[in-house]
Coordinates of all heavy atoms in Angstrom, one line a residue:
R1 N 42.9 81.8 176.4 CA 42.6 80.4 176.6 C 41.3 80.0 175.8 O 41.2 78.9 175.3 CB 42.3 80.1 178.0 CG 43.6 80.0 178.8 CD 43.2 79.6 180.3 NE 44.4 79.5 181.1 CZ 45.1 78.4 181.3 NH1 44.7 77.3 180.7 NH2 46.2 78.4 182.0
D2 N 40.4 80.9 175.6 CA 39.1 80.6 175.0 C 39.1 81.0 173.5 O 38.0 81.3 173.0 CB 38.0 81.2 175.7 CG 38.0 82.7 175.7 OD1 39.1 83.3 175.4 OD2 36.9 83.3 176.0
W3 N 40.2 81.1 172.8 CA 40.3 81.6 171.5 C 39.4 80.8 170.5 O 38.8 81.4 169.6 CB 41.7 81.8 171.0 CG 42.4 80.5 170.7 CD1 43.1 79.7 171.6 CD2 42.6 79.8 169.5 NE1 43.7 78.6 171.0 CE2 43.4 78.7 169.7 CE3 42.2 80.1 168.2 CZ2 43.7 77.8 168.7 CZ3 42.5 79.2 167.2 CH2 43.3 78.1 167.4
K4 N 39.3 79.6 170.7 CA 38.5 78.7 169.8 C 37.0 79.1 170.0 O 36.2 79.1 169.0 CB 38.7 77.3 170.0 CG 40.1 76.8 169.6 CD 40.4 75.4 169.9 CE 41.8 75.0 169.5 NZ 42.1 73.6 169.8
E5 N 36.6 79.3 171.3 CA 35.2 79.6 171.5 C 34.9 81.0 171.0 O 33.7 81.2 170.5 CB 34.9 79.6 173.0 CG 34.9 78.2 173.6 CD 36.2 77.6 173.8 OE1 37.3 78.3 173.9 OE2 36.3 76.3 173.9
K6 N 35.8 81.9 171.0 CA 35.6 83.2 170.4 C 35.3 83.1 168.9 O 34.5 83.8 168.4 CB 36.8 84.1 170.6 CG 36.6 85.5 170.1 CD 37.8 86.4 170.3 CE 37.5 87.8 169.7 NZ 38.6 88.8 170.1
I7 N 36.0 82.2 168.2 CA 35.7 82.0 166.8 C 34.3 81.6 166.6 O 33.5 82.1 165.8 CB 36.7 81.0 166.2 CG1 38.1 81.6 166.1 CG2 36.2 80.5 164.8 CD1 39.1 80.6 165.6
G8 N 33.8 80.6 167.5 CA 32.4 80.2 167.4 C 31.4 81.3 167.7 O 30.4 81.4 167.0
K9 N 31.8 82.1 168.7 CA 30.9 83.2 169.1 C 30.7 84.2 167.9 O 29.6 84.8 167.7 CB 31.4 83.9 170.3 CG 30.6 85.0 170.8 CD 31.2 85.7 172.0 CE 30.4 86.8 172.5 NZ 31.0 87.5 173.7
H10 N 31.7 84.4 167.2 CA 31.7 85.4 166.1 C 31.6 84.7 164.7 O 32.0 85.3 163.7 CB 32.9 86.3 166.2 CG 32.9 87.1 167.4 ND1 32.1 88.2 167.6 CD2 33.6 87.0 168.6 CE1 32.3 88.8 168.7 NE2 33.2 88.0 169.4
W11 N 31.2 83.5 164.7 CA 31.2 82.7 163.4 C 30.3 83.5 162.4 O 29.2 83.9 162.6 CB 30.6 81.3 163.7 CG 30.7 80.4 162.5 CD1 29.7 80.0 161.7 CD2 31.9 79.8 161.9 NE1 30.1 79.2 160.7 CE2 31.5 79.0 160.8 CE3 33.2 79.8 162.3 CZ2 32.4 78.3 160.1 CZ3 34.1 79.1 161.6 CH2 33.7 78.4 160.5
G12 N 30.9 83.7 161.2 CA 30.2 84.3 160.1 C 30.4 85.8 160.1 O 30.1 86.5 159.1
E13 N 31.0 86.4 161.1 CA 31.3 87.9 161.2 C 32.6 88.2 160.6 O 32.8 89.3 160.1 CB 31.2 88.4 162.6 CG 29.9 88.2 163.3 CD 29.9 88.6 164.7 OE1 30.8 89.5 165.1 OE2 29.1 88.1 165.5
Y14 N 33.6 87.3 160.6 CA 34.9 87.5 160.2 C 35.3 86.4 159.2 O 35.0 85.2 159.4 CB 35.9 87.4 161.4 CG 35.8 88.5 162.4 CD1 34.8 88.5 163.4 CD2 36.7 89.6 162.3 CE1 34.7 89.5 164.3 CE2 36.6 90.6 163.3 CZ 35.6 90.6 164.3 OH 35.5 91.6 165.2
A15 N 36.2 86.7 158.2 CA 36.9 85.7 157.5 C 38.0 85.2 158.4 O 38.5 86.0 159.2 CB 37.5 86.3 156.2
L16 N 38.4 84.0 158.3 CA 39.5 83.5 159.2 C 40.7 83.1 158.4 O 40.6 82.5 157.3 CB 39.0 82.2 159.9 CG 37.7 82.4 160.8 CD1 37.2 81.1 161.2 CD2 38.0 83.3 161.9
F17 N 41.9 83.5 158.9 CA 43.1 83.2 158.3 C 44.1 82.6 159.3 O 44.4 83.2 160.3 CB 43.7 84.6 157.8 CG 44.7 84.4 156.7 CD1 44.4 84.9 155.4 CD2 45.9 83.9 156.9 CE1 45.3 84.8 154.3 CE2 46.9 83.8 155.9 CZ 46.5 84.2 154.6
F18 N 44.5 81.4 159.0 CA 45.4 80.7 159.9 C 46.8 80.6 159.2 O 46.8 80.1 158.0 CB 44.9 79.3 160.2 CG 43.6 79.2 161.0 CD1 42.4 79.3 160.4 CD2 43.7 79.1 162.4 CE1 41.2 79.2 161.1 CE2 42.5 79.0 163.1 CZ 41.3 79.1 162.5
I19 N 47.8 80.9 159.9 CA 49.2 80.7 159.4 C 49.8 79.6 160.3 O 50.1 79.8 161.4 CB 50.0 82.0 159.5 CG1 49.3 83.2 158.8 CG2 51.4 81.8 159.0 CD1 49.9 84.5 159.0
G20 N 49.8 78.4 159.7 CA 50.3 77.3 160.4 C 49.7 76.0 159.8 O 49.3 76.0 158.7
A21 N 49.7 74.9 160.6 CA 49.3 73.6 160.2 C 47.8 73.6 159.9 O 46.9 74.2 160.6 CB 49.6 72.6 161.2
A22 N 47.4 73.0 158.8 CA 46.0 72.9 158.4 C 45.2 72.2 159.4 O 44.0 72.5 159.6 CB 45.9 72.2 157.0
G23 N 45.8 71.2 160.1 CA 45.0 70.5 161.1 C 44.5 71.3 162.2 O 43.4 71.1 162.8
I24 N 45.3 72.3 162.6 CA 44.9 73.3 163.7 C 43.6 74.0 163.2 O 42.6 74.1 163.9 CB 46.0 74.3 164.0 CG1 47.2 73.6 164.7 CG2 45.4 75.4 165.0 CD1 48.4 74.5 164.9
A25 N 43.6 74.5 162.0 CA 42.5 75.2 161.5 C 41.3 74.3 161.4 O 40.2 74.7 161.7 CB 42.9 75.8 160.1
I26 N 41.4 73.1 160.8 CA 40.3 72.2 160.7 C 39.7 71.9 162.0 O 38.5 71.9 162.1 CB 40.8 70.9 159.9 CG1 41.1 71.3 158.5 CG2 39.7 69.8 160.0 CD1 41.9 70.2 157.7
R27 N 40.5 71.5 163.0 CA 39.9 71.1 164.3 C 39.3 72.3 165.0 O 38.3 72.2 165.7 CB 41.0 70.5 165.2 CG 41.4 69.1 164.8 CD 42.3 68.5 165.8 NE 43.6 69.2 165.9 CZ 44.6 69.0 165.2 NH1 44.6 68.2 164.2 NH2 45.7 69.7 165.4
T28 N 39.8 73.5 164.7 CA 39.2 74.7 165.3 C 37.9 75.1 164.8 O 37.0 75.4 165.5 CB 40.2 75.9 165.1 OG1 41.5 75.6 165.8 CG2 39.6 77.2 165.8
V29 N 37.7 75.0 163.5 CA 36.4 75.5 162.8 C 35.4 74.4 162.7 O 34.2 74.7 162.5 CB 36.7 76.1 161.5 CG1 37.6 77.3 161.6 CG2 37.1 75.1 160.4
A30 N 35.8 73.1 162.9 CA 34.9 72.0 162.7 C 33.6 72.1 163.4 O 32.5 71.8 162.8 CB 35.6 70.7 163.0
P31 N 33.5 72.5 164.7 CA 32.3 72.5 165.4 C 31.2 73.5 164.8 O 30.0 73.3 165.1 CB 32.6 72.9 166.8 CG 34.1 72.6 166.9 CD 34.7 72.8 165.6
W32 N 31.7 74.5 164.0 CA 30.7 75.5 163.6 C 30.4 75.4 162.1 O 29.6 76.2 161.6 CB 31.3 76.9 163.9 CG 31.4 77.0 165.4 CD1 30.4 77.3 166.3 CD2 32.5 76.9 166.2 NE1 30.8 77.3 167.5 CE2 32.2 77.1 167.5 CE3 33.9 76.7 165.9 CZ2 33.1 77.0 168.6 CZ3 34.8 76.6 167.0 CH2 34.4 76.8 168.3
I33 N 31.0 74.5 161.4 CA 30.8 74.5 159.9 C 29.4 74.0 159.6 O 28.9 73.1 160.2 CB 31.8 73.5 159.3 CG1 33.2 74.1 159.4 CG2 31.4 73.2 157.8 CD1 34.3 73.2 158.9
Q34 N 28.7 74.8 158.7 CA 27.3 74.5 158.3 C 27.3 74.1 156.9 O 27.0 72.9 156.5 CB 26.4 75.7 158.5 CG 26.3 76.2 159.9 CD 25.5 75.3 160.8 OE1 24.5 74.8 160.3 NE2 25.9 75.1 162.0
D35 N 27.6 75.0 156.0 CA 27.7 74.8 154.5 C 28.4 75.9 153.8 O 28.7 76.9 154.4 CB 26.3 74.6 154.0 CG 25.4 75.8 154.1 OD1 25.8 76.9 153.7 OD2 24.3 75.7 154.7
K36 N 28.7 75.7 152.6 CA 29.5 76.7 151.8 C 28.8 78.0 151.5 O 29.4 79.0 151.2 CB 30.1 76.1 150.5 CG 29.0 75.7 149.5 CD 29.6 75.1 148.3 CE 28.6 74.8 147.2 NZ 29.2 74.2 146.1
F37 N 27.5 78.0 151.7 CA 26.7 79.2 151.5 C 26.7 80.1 152.6 O 26.5 81.3 152.5 CB 25.3 78.8 151.0 CG 25.3 77.9 149.8 CD1 25.0 76.5 149.9 CD2 25.6 78.4 148.6 CE1 25.0 75.7 148.8 CE2 25.6 77.6 147.5 CZ 25.3 76.2 147.6
T38 N 26.8 79.6 153.8 CA 26.7 80.5 155.0 C 28.0 80.6 155.8 O 28.1 81.5 156.6 CB 25.6 79.9 156.0 OG1 25.9 78.6 156.4 CG2 24.2 80.0 155.3
D39 N 28.9 79.7 155.7 CA 30.2 79.8 156.4 C 31.1 80.9 155.9 O 31.1 81.2 154.7 CB 30.9 78.4 156.3 CG 30.2 77.3 157.0 OD1 29.4 77.6 158.0 OD2 30.5 76.1 156.7
P40 N 31.9 81.4 156.8 CA 32.8 82.5 156.4 C 34.0 81.8 155.6 O 34.2 80.6 155.8 CB 33.3 83.1 157.7 CG 33.2 82.0 158.7 CD 32.0 81.2 158.2
P41 N 34.8 82.6 154.9 CA 36.0 82.1 154.3 C 37.0 81.7 155.3 O 37.1 82.4 156.4 CB 36.5 83.3 153.5 CG 35.4 84.2 153.4 CD 34.5 84.0 154.5
V42 N 37.6 80.6 155.1 CA 38.7 80.1 156.0 C 39.9 79.8 155.1 O 39.8 79.0 154.2 CB 38.3 78.8 156.8 CG1 39.5 78.3 157.6 CG2 37.1 79.1 157.6
V43 N 41.0 80.5 155.4 CA 42.2 80.4 154.6 C 43.3 79.8 155.5 O 43.5 80.3 156.6 CB 42.7 81.7 154.0 CG1 44.0 81.6 153.2 CG2 41.6 82.2 153.0
V44 N 44.1 78.8 155.0 CA 45.2 78.3 155.8 C 46.4 78.5 154.9 O 46.5 78.1 153.8 CB 45.0 76.8 156.1 CG1 46.2 76.3 157.0 CG2 43.7 76.6 156.9
M45 N 47.5 79.1 155.6 CA 48.7 79.3 154.8 C 49.9 78.7 155.6 O 50.0 79.0 156.8 CB 48.9 80.9 154.7 CG 50.2 81.2 154.0 SD 50.3 83.0 153.8 CE 51.3 83.4 155.2
D46 N 50.7 78.0 155.0 CA 51.9 77.5 155.6 C 52.9 78.6 155.8 O 52.9 79.5 155.0 CB 52.5 76.3 154.8 CG 53.6 75.6 155.5 OD1 53.7 75.6 156.7 OD2 54.3 74.9 154.8

């Protein structure tokens, strides 16, 4: 249930890979995005 919060808790420790709709990925990571220099890689694949 708290999978989105887990991403925030571990923000910057893992690269993130989403297989599915880009909107899911965007809404999930949006609260933690800072800048391209400190954020982890986020890949979305259909």
Side-chain angles (χ1 to χ4, degrees):
R1 287 186 180 266
D2 66 342
W3 69 276
K4 293 178 183 180
E5 287 78 21
K6 181 177 180 175
I7 289 174
K9 181 180 177 183
H10 296 284
W11 189 252
E13 297 174 28
Y14 292 81
L16 302 171
F17 202 111
F18 293 87
I19 302 171
I24 294 171
I26 291 167
R27 286 188 299 274
T28 300
V29 303
W32 297 284
I33 293 175
Q34 300 286 321
D35 59 55
K36 67 181 182 179
F37 302 106
T38 58
D39 292 337
V42 178
V43 176
V44 182
M45 180 176 92
D46 191 18

